[in-house]
Amino acid sequence: MASIGSERARVRVFFAERAVGWETRYPDDTPAYTAAVAALEPPPGGRALDAGCGTARALPLLRAAVGPAGDVVGLDLTPEMLREAAVLGRRADGALIEADSAQLPLRAGAFDAVLAAGLVHHLPDPAAGLRELARVTRPGGRLALFHPLGRAALAARRGHALRADDIRAERQLRPLLSATGWELSLLDDSEERYLAVAVRRRH
């Protein structure tokens, strides 16, 4: 079995090779991102984190939600993705930080809303990652696990069947969220998108 370190390195190499031009491969995803941010409900004047932000496609949407009085941070493991985000002008909408989602250089309870698009199934230790996202989210804050395609559509695109042990399936996800400080409040795994919204428990 691969170590967490080697799995993290594999993910980093995978995305580094695809960073330049990433968004041109998926030009129609913005409406799905817009709907996901709306479901996340970042509060005006609040603080929003895009964890595993990639090219930071969601940063302008998060900035529009929190407004000029709010704060927006995009964080990713892959420096090549962050460089592409900078080329696309995303620093105008928030800070870009290179860091591992399982070891966030952020203070506890700092954020009101966290978007994690295409992240959770790439984490070597999903429980550790979700626990760390809970740490930096205030009690009552919200998390959106998102992908612009549903699991079945994404599996079909890649030419394989859905796995029974997929961490994003409700059977696995609900207890995992509960064990890491979250309560699942919405799950939409349709053809058009995957969206799971959870609330940071107060106790």
Side-chain angles (χ1 to χ4, degrees):
M1 186 174 179
S3 70
I4 287 176
S6 64
E7 180 61 16
R8 188 177 292 121
R10 185 196 66 77
V11 169
R12 194 168 180 169
V13 168
F14 177 89
F15 285 105
E17 293 172 346
R18 293 161 174 80
V20 175
W22 175 266
E23 290 185 25
T24 64
R25 297 185 185 93
Y26 309 105
D28 302 323
D29 285 352
T30 299
Y33 273 83
T34 301
V37 170
L40 178 61
E41 300 176 355
R47 303 196 74 206
L49 172 66
D50 186 357
C53 67
T55 57
R57 188 175 203 143
L59 253 64
L61 305 172
L62 293 168
R63 169 56 64 194
V66 301
D71 290 306
V72 177
V73 175
L75 182 146
D76 202 89
L77 178 67
T78 307
E80 290 84 357
M81 278 287 189
L82 295 174
R83 282 200 289 273
E84 182 75 352
V87 167
L88 293 170
R90 300 286 158 71
R91 289 191 190 279
D93 296 298
L96 297 173
I97 299 173
E98 181 186 340
D100 184 348
S101 291
Q103 295 175 304
L104 299 173
L106 304 166
R107 65 178 175 82
F111 292 93
D112 302 289
V114 178
L115 178 71
L119 175 69
V120 69
H121 58 292
H122 285 299
L123 294 174
D125 185 343
L130 289 168
R131 195 173 293 112
E132 184 68 348
L133 293 177
R135 182 186 67 79
V136 302
T137 305
R138 65 166 177 80
R142 292 161 67 86
L143 166 70
L145 305 176
F146 167 69
H147 196 282
L149 281 178
R151 291 186 308 124
L154 186 61
R157 174 192 277 182
R158 294 175 176 170
H160 56 70
L162 278 177
R163 292 177 48 150
D165 63 349
D166 189 334
I167 199 70
R168 295 163 293 178
E170 183 173 5
R171 181 171 54 184
Q172 275 78 244
L173 184 66
R174 186 179 291 277
L176 178 61
L177 286 168
S178 181
T180 54
W182 302 97
E183 182 176 347
L184 183 65
S185 63
L186 178 151
L187 181 60
D188 178 2
D189 188 11
S190 58
E191 285 290 307
E192 292 77 22
R193 70 174 180 180
Y194 177 89
L195 179 65
V197 177
V199 177
R200 176 72 168 94
R201 289 206 309 271
R202 296 183 183 274
H203 301 292

